[in-house]
Amino acid sequence: MTHLKQPGVYNRRSLFVWAGLCTLAGLIFLAYTLTSLAAGRGVFVMPLDDVYIHFQYAKQMALGQPYIYNPGLPATSGATSFLYPYMLAIGYLLGFQGLNLGLWAMILGMVALAWSTWLVYRLVKVFDAPEWLAILAGTIFALSGPVSWHFMSGMETGWAVLFTLGTLYALLIYPHPLRPRQPSPLHGEGGQHNTRPVIIFATLLALIRPEGGILAGLAMVALFFQVRKQGTRHVVPLLIPILAVGIQPVVNLLLTGSAVASGNAAKSVFGMIPFYWDAVIGRILSNWAQMWVEFFTGSSPREGLYLAPLMLVLAIIGLLFLLRKCEWRIVGLMLIGWLAFGTLAISTLDTAFWHFKRYQMPFIALLFPLAGWGIAALWGAKNSQNSAGAQTKMPILIRVFAFLTTLRDPVVELFVPRPHNSSATFSARPLLRGVIVLITIFAFFISVFTSAQFLRNYGLNVGYVYQQPLQMARWLEANTPPDAVIAVHDVGMMRYMGVRTTLDMVGLTTPGAADYWRNGPGSVAEFLIAKRPDYIASYGYGHGFGLGMLADTDLYGQPLVGFPVDLDPNYNVALAANFQGIYKPDWDQIWRNSHSWMSLQPYGTYYWGISSQGVAIPADEINVGDIASEKLANYHWQDGEILSGFPSEVHELDYAACAIDSCHLIDGGRLINGEEAFDLRSWYESGLGWNVVMVTRVLAQYSGTFDVYANDTLIGTRVIPAIPGKWIEIPTFIPKDIARINTYIRIVPHMPNGGYYAPYYHWAYAAPSVDPKPDRILSSFQNGAIVLASAQMDYESGEKQMPINIDWYTDGSAQGDYKVFVHILDANDQIVAQADTYPGNGTLPPGNWLPGILHDRIMVDLSQTPPGKYRVAMGLYNPYTFERLPPAGGDDLNRFFIGDVEIN
């Protein structure tokens, strides 16, 4: 290795190279702009809907309303890049407005691509690599499909790559021009380090992407070890990039009240609901491992071949080349930190592999100069640097690492022995040089192949954006009132070109919505019901985020207009779907079908419900799945094991039994196999003689039980009967000596069949009295816990249905999941008609009875019963095991006879 070239010292060849690389960037720009125009039917369209989120923020900045995504609404932090919207806003002010702002974004991408390509070339040249190798490295970089795609995508990715490469380059080569030239371990006779270029690039890196702050911080640590002996005056400025990391959180906090960008809240795996540390860590490590396996192979399931397969191996050789030299070891360790911790940081995102590896691109870009160094090392770059000058005192940990790396020769020397008494670092054999040439040629052709492939992918995704979000935005602008609010899943184009206020269901640009989105489609449904947008423009079935559950309800209704598109699912990153539609919900009808504020199941003469005076008003209510309602109730829930589905669901169903004309409603709720807890408020002070009844609406897809604790006291075990596809309510009696104004409730389900407890609503009602035990008793079960007080047959001649009016009683100790059976028996004890159902209009197994009397009515179908005189027996049985409860006064078949009836 010879001396590092001073910045600004360019020979004629360098100027030709610079011009050539700029021309290459220009040609790539031309190819992509023509593709955009062609696939966009004559207008500039970007391949990602996310681009238009940046565009909307940039537009608002240009109009003097920074961070206001929807005019007239509070500021939001949906742009994860702090710096990039400002760069776009300059173009908007220059006249690049509407879809033409996409052209400005591509011009910015072309500039970033030209400089990044030049930096790859210069970085490879840092160690006196052959000119052909440096030029080829820059060319391969620019032509590489994922590289050119992302520089022309309209996103900030290209600039993140530029600032990453710029930070590395500045750290390697810039001496201080204003100081006396002193021997330096980094630069030989180059003089003291000029920290300003490094600080500038690192600061920009911290501002362009949140994960750029990690790279900037590590760069400042590396720079600190290089300049720490030059005095505090040179060390203090190193804090600038680190402080820059805090600019975006501080701005977010001041403008939105939250330091966390809403985009990060919506994308981070740390927002997993429900949260499990083992699952989160496993997900991160899985992402991280998959990322590096793909770097090694150069291919991935979606993109196919996107890198030369040996690039990572060559990059590792390049890193070893740095690490074995004391003067470069700090930079090598920094690069290891960049690659390890940077990729680990983006592994915390749900979107780590989205958009053709958008978040991985700065680290993929680093592989190009590293591989160039590895090839240069194998080729035999010479090092005439004064090795004596390079031997400086290093921190103890670095000295230990240096010792470990010198225990054995580097990997490359296993193939290329270093001759004695030679100044050459490596002396490659001719055969090896031939192999290297073949490898570089292979890498070049791989780059050309991926370039063509990704250009095709670009056109595909531009076409998808044109056919769906752009056309949807144009329809909204032409067919909806200017003040309409549109609920959307992909918010970019709808807001930017639709020029309508958007309600972002994902939560990138709508404060608080990310919490609902993370909690699944049930919570999203609650969010929409609470917000009542005028229109919904979104996916339905087949998109994988549970939106099909919303489409199954009347929340969407019938589409006003549909936008189908034929997709290539392997290369769809535009967030398109086979079908998207625009819907106008009928909120009045939805509200009529909701009744979510009241208990609807009939309970006879229980303590609340429908009466001649109207509807009983609950003392408190908790709408499960509605995040706002849950927060008010201090609601917490957890699962005992990870569920395979969403943490919440939405359904539109009927009640198993209804106390009014219609109990058809839409509701969102949770799936729980652990437990839930919340505060249940009551109007009544303890000691005033008021009991409390808690009523829980559930979707009883699976049978089971749950224990109810009030103020840490077990007050009972309730039964979940399997009544799929219907809403049921389960009441729980809380005695006055336990109930408080604020009663802490904990519910622990037990689901032996592997299902889940699915609560949707909780209410608290006053229960001022308890019915006394009736004087007359026909029979009893469970040692008197279940009392059959009366059973009256109400048969009328000629009717095909016979009602049986039954009064049950319990003191609150009735248990179990039992149904009632009624048998109409002939003289031979054969069943000629029967009924079996749960008490309480088919909804209340005895384990859910409240203390007091339950008035029940069972209907027996007599349409197939011939005329005659029959005996009538009844009893209780387990619907799963068919075991009957023995009644007092019953026969040996555990039947209790309630009388005779003559059918005519």
Side-chain angles (χ1 to χ4, degrees):
M1 248 177 345
T2 60
H3 301 301
L4 299 175
K5 298 280 192 291
Q6 300 298 320
V9 180
Y10 300 108
N11 54 30
R12 183 175 301 176
R13 178 181 298 174
S14 295
L15 292 176
F16 278 122
V17 173
W18 164 248
L21 295 179
C22 286
T23 301
L24 179 60
L27 292 173
I28 292 171
F29 166 78
L30 181 62
Y32 275 84
T33 53
L34 292 176
T35 301
S36 176
L37 286 171
R41 278 69 161 178
V43 293
F44 289 104
V45 178
M46 297 290 96
L48 302 172
D49 183 78
D50 284 14
V51 173
Y52 296 94
I53 297 177
H54 283 313
F55 283 12
Q56 177 63 17
Y57 279 113
K59 173 185 175 181
Q60 292 302 111
M61 287 177 177
L63 297 177
Q65 298 180 348
Y67 294 90
I68 303 296
Y69 193 78
N70 287 294
L73 295 182
T76 58
S77 54
T80 52
S81 174
F82 177 81
L83 188 61
Y84 190 59
Y86 291 97
M87 300 167 67
L88 292 172
I90 295 172
Y92 196 91
L93 291 171
L94 292 175
F96 292 89
Q97 299 178 4
L99 292 175
N100 288 333
L101 190 56
L103 177 59
W104 173 254
M106 296 180 77
I107 291 172
L108 290 178
M110 177 185 65
V111 172
L113 178 60
W115 279 104
S116 297
T117 304
W118 173 252
L119 284 171
V120 171
Y121 163 78
R122 294 298 301 172
L123 281 166
V124 175
K125 284 285 290 179
V126 158
F127 300 124
D128 278 351
E131 186 75 16
W132 66 267
L133 176 59
I135 295 173
L136 192 58
T139 303
I140 291 173
F141 170 81
L143 287 177
S144 178
V147 171
S148 55
W149 198 98
H150 282 288
F151 276 90
M152 296 296 134
S153 69
M155 297 297 287
E156 77 282 358
T157 313
W159 288 87
V161 170
L162 172 61
F163 296 149
T164 301
L165 296 173
T167 302
L168 175 60
Y169 185 66
L171 189 65
L172 283 172
I173 74 147
Y174 274 91
H176 199 299
L178 303 179
R179 297 290 179 186
R181 295 166 67 86
Q182 299 292 335
S184 165
L186 185 62
H187 304 294
E189 298 176 357
Q192 295 183 3
H193 204 290
N194 179 6
T195 60
R196 281 176 293 182
V198 187
I199 291 172
I200 291 171
F201 271 112
T203 300
L204 294 172
L205 179 57
L207 294 175
I208 197 67
R209 283 290 311 166
E211 59 269 18
I214 297 174
L215 309 189
L218 291 173
M220 291 305 98
V221 172
L223 188 57
F224 169 78
F225 283 114
Q226 295 172 350
V227 302
R228 67 189 188 282
K229 292 187 177 181
Q230 295 181 20
T232 305
R233 177 178 177 182
H234 295 279
V235 172
V236 171
L238 306 188
L239 296 175
I240 294 175
I242 298 174
L243 294 175
V245 175
I247 291 178
Q248 186 173 16
V250 170
V251 171
N252 289 342
L253 182 63
L254 293 176
L255 294 178
T256 71
S258 173
V260 179
S262 55
N264 289 339
K267 297 174 182 178
S268 174
V269 299
F270 289 106
M272 178 185 292
I273 302 293
F275 186 86
Y276 303 96
W277 272 112
D278 56 344
V280 169
I281 293 173
R283 176 76 176 276
I284 293 171
L285 294 179
S286 175
N287 285 345
W288 195 68
Q290 180 183 343
M291 208 175 294
W292 283 99
V293 168
E294 291 180 1
F295 288 170
F296 179 78
T297 61
S299 65
S300 64
R302 162 169 282 183
E303 292 81 8
L305 188 65
Y306 70 97
L307 281 176
L310 292 177
M311 181 169 286
L312 181 59
V313 175
L314 294 171
I316 292 172
I317 294 173
L319 266 177
L320 290 173
F321 177 69
L322 289 179
L323 292 173
R324 70 187 300 269
K325 288 295 182 180
C326 181
E327 65 270 30
W328 301 115
R329 195 164 291 134
I330 292 175
V331 177
L333 291 173
M334 181 203 74
L335 283 169
I336 291 175
W338 275 14
L339 293 169
F341 295 110
T343 54
L344 191 62
I346 62 174
S347 295
T348 65
L349 300 175
D350 282 328
T351 54
F353 295 90
W354 279 29
H355 299 167
F356 296 139
K357 305 183 179 301
R358 165 186 162 196
Y359 300 94
Q360 302 176 33
M361 279 312 300
F363 310 103
I364 292 174
L366 286 173
L367 299 181
F368 287 87
L370 282 170
W373 295 343
I375 293 174
L378 291 172
W379 188 263
K382 295 183 178 180
N383 176 17
S384 60
Q385 185 165 322
N386 186 346
S387 60
Q391 302 302 319
T392 58
K393 292 183 178 180
M394 306 294 289
I396 182 63
L397 289 178
I398 295 180
R399 292 206 304 270
V400 170
F401 187 85
F403 172 74
L404 293 175
T405 58
T406 56
L407 289 177
R408 289 186 178 273
D409 292 337
V411 173
V412 292
E413 292 194 11
L414 296 177
F415 302 96
V416 190
R418 180 172 52 178
H420 296 287
N421 302 322
S422 171
S423 62
T425 305
F426 301 111
S427 178
R429 298 170 181 171
L431 179 60
L432 181 57
R433 287 196 173 189
V435 171
I436 292 171
V437 170
L438 291 176
I439 289 173
T440 53
I441 293 173
F442 172 72
F444 175 79
F445 282 107
I446 291 294
S447 180
V448 172
F449 169 79
T450 61
S451 182
Q453 180 68 20
F454 274 76
L455 184 61
R456 170 188 171 274
N457 296 343
Y458 191 91
L460 282 176
N461 285 277
V462 167
Y464 300 153
V465 172
Y466 176 86
Q467 293 175 70
Q468 279 196 335
L470 178 56
Q471 301 310 313
M472 294 170 76
R474 287 173 170 171
W475 191 95
L476 290 170
E477 184 181 22
N479 296 279
T480 61
D483 61 348
V485 177
I486 319 298
V488 297
H489 178 273
D490 295 332
V491 72
M493 185 72 84
M494 302 291 180
R495 170 63 253 188
Y496 183 67
M497 293 300 295
V499 200
R500 295 293 181 269
T501 298
T502 51
L503 188 71
D504 184 358
M505 290 192 286
V506 178
L508 297 177
T509 59
T510 298
D515 289 340
Y516 288 85
W517 179 255
R518 281 291 192 180
N519 278 273
S523 290
V524 173
E526 297 288 356
F527 178 73
L528 292 175
I529 291 172
K531 297 297 183 181
R532 300 183 70 168
D534 299 302
Y535 298 86
I536 297 175
S538 182
Y539 310 100
Y541 299 99
H543 199 263
F545 295 116
L547 296 176
M549 299 191 78
L550 299 177
D552 278 335
T553 72
D554 286 340
L555 280 176
Y556 276 19
Q558 295 300 313
L560 298 176
V561 60
F563 298 89
V565 63
D566 292 327
L567 292 175
D568 183 339
N570 292 323
Y571 301 110
N572 168 31
V573 298
L575 296 182
N578 291 325
F579 178 85
Q580 291 195 64
I582 296 177
Y583 309 82
K584 185 170 178 56
D586 184 350
W587 290 113
D588 291 337
Q589 180 64 35
I590 292 170
W591 182 253
R592 286 192 294 271
N593 287 347
S594 289
H595 307 296
S596 290
W597 52 275
M598 59 184 286
S599 170
L600 296 174
Q601 188 167 291
Y603 292 94
T605 58
Y606 278 71
Y607 316 106
W608 74 97
I610 307 302
S611 67
S612 59
Q613 290 77 30
V615 178
I617 304 300
D620 195 14
E621 58 180 323
I622 301 163
N623 187 1
V624 179
D626 183 341
I627 307 303
S629 178
E630 290 181 346
K631 286 181 178 179
L632 287 175
N634 193 29
Y635 183 91
H636 298 281
W637 64 284
Q638 64 185 26
D639 279 330
E641 58 185 51
I642 299 176
L643 292 174
S644 58
F646 298 103
S648 72
E649 293 182 349
V650 60
H651 296 280
E652 182 173 6
L653 302 169
D654 292 304
Y655 262 75
C658 181
I660 59 177
D661 291 338
S662 173
C663 290
H664 182 80
L665 63 90
I666 300 170
D667 199 7
R670 296 201 175 275
L671 309 179
I672 299 174
N673 58 33
E675 63 179 65
E676 65 173 345
F678 49 88
D679 294 330
L680 196 66
R681 297 186 300 275
S682 170
W683 288 329
Y684 309 102
E685 282 278 8
S686 175
L688 296 181
W690 298 97
N691 302 304
V692 173
V693 172
M694 179 184 71
V695 181
T696 300
R697 177 190 292 157
V698 302
L699 179 62
Q701 294 293 111
Y702 303 93
S703 63
T705 62
F706 59 83
D707 298 329
V708 180
Y709 295 82
N711 297 323
D712 297 321
T713 299
L714 177 64
I715 59 172
T717 297
R718 314 314 277 169
V719 172
I720 305 173
I723 309 178
K726 298 289 185 180
W727 301 120
I728 69 164
E729 293 174 2
I730 299 176
T732 303
F733 184 81
I734 306 174
K736 60 179 180 290
D737 57 339
I738 296 176
R740 302 288 184 271
I741 289 180
N742 286 296
T743 303
Y744 175 68
I745 300 294
R746 188 165 68 93
I747 295 177
V748 182
H750 306 282
M751 310 301 295
N753 299 319
Y756 46 77
Y757 160 65
Y760 281 69
Y761 226 103
H762 299 286
W763 297 270
Y765 288 93
S769 62
V770 175
D771 295 324
K773 185 176 181 179
D775 296 330
R776 182 174 178 271
I777 297 175
L778 292 182
S779 181
S780 64
F781 304 80
Q782 293 183 345
N783 297 320
I786 300 172
V787 172
L788 178 61
S790 67
Q792 299 292 328
M793 293 173 286
D794 191 12
Y795 174 72
E796 293 186 10
S797 179
E799 293 293 327
K800 301 300 183 182
Q801 298 283 332
M802 180 177 69
I804 301 177
N805 297 312
I806 302 173
D807 283 350
W808 302 97
Y809 173 82
T810 182
D811 59 2
S813 60
Q815 299 177 3
D817 187 353
Y818 294 98
K819 283 185 173 183
V820 179
F821 68 86
V822 176
H823 291 167
I824 310 298
L825 304 169
D826 63 13
N828 297 319
D829 208 31
Q830 298 297 309
I831 299 173
V832 296
Q834 64 179 336
D836 68 274
T837 183
Y838 282 110
N841 298 92
T843 62
L844 288 175
N848 295 343
W849 294 357
L850 299 178
I853 294 176
L854 171 63
H855 298 290
D856 199 12
R857 170 174 280 199
I858 296 176
M859 304 298 294
V860 182
D861 183 9
L862 302 178
S863 60
Q864 303 299 319
T865 306
K869 189 173 183 179
Y870 300 95
R871 294 188 301 163
V872 181
M874 63 175 293
L876 294 169
Y877 76 99
N878 185 304
Y880 310 105
T881 65
F882 300 101
E883 177 187 0
R884 293 178 179 177
L885 283 178
D891 66 1
D892 55 356
L893 296 178
N894 291 329
R895 300 176 298 183
F896 182 80
F897 288 88
I898 59 174
D900 298 332
V901 61
E902 185 171 353
I903 308 299
N904 51 46

